[in-house]
Amino acid sequence: LKMAKVVQKKSKDAISKAANSKKGTKKKWSKGDRKAKINNNVFIDEAAFKGFAKKVGTMRLVTIATVSSSLHCNASLARKLIRHFLAEGSLISFGESNRHLYLYRGAKWVRKEKTEEGE
C-alpha cells in the first residue's frame, strides 16, 4: 500500500519570499564590463586620406589593423587603402597571397643600424 504524501501548505510570506529570491530569477552570465562598440567610419574624408598618404610611406609595419586603428575606419576600407598605396608604390609587400594581405612596410622606411658603443 502506498500512502499519499501530505503536503504542507505554505504561508503567503513564504511564497512571496520564494518568488523574490535569487533562485527564482534566471542566471546572468555576463557580469564583467562589456567592450565598448567602436563605430568605425565606412568612408574616409579627403583631409584624412592626404594625411595618411604622407604617413604611410614612413610606416614600419602596415597591416589592416594598423590602418583601421589610425584612420578609425572599418577593415574593408583599410584593405582597399592598402591595395591603393601598394599599386601607387608607397608600400612594399613582404609576401603575397590571393586570400590574405601579408605584412607591408613603407617604401621610404629605412632600418636604423645599431651602432656599437665604445668604438
Side-chain angles (χ1 to χ4, degrees), residues 33-59:
D33 294 333
R34 287 188 181 174
K35 189 177 179 182
K37 184 177 179 181
I38 301 169
N39 291 325
N40 284 332
N41 300 328
V42 182
F43 300 104
I44 186 170
D45 59 334
E46 195 172 337
F49 178 78
K50 286 182 180 177
F52 187 70
K54 288 179 186 174
K55 186 174 133 181
V56 75
T58 59
M59 288 177 73

Side-chain angles (χ1 to χ4, degrees), residues 12 14-15 22 31 41-42 52 92 105 114-115 119:
K12 289 183 181 178
I15 293 170
K22 273 193 169 183
K31 292 196 177 176
N41 300 328
V42 182
F52 187 70
I92 299 170
R105 67 174 172 85
K114 291 182 182 177
T115 57
E119 286 186 25

Side-chain angles (χ1 to χ4, degrees), residues 8-19:
Q8 292 179 347
K9 292 193 175 186
K10 293 184 178 180
S11 66
K12 289 183 181 178
D13 289 338
I15 293 170
S16 66
K17 280 183 182 178

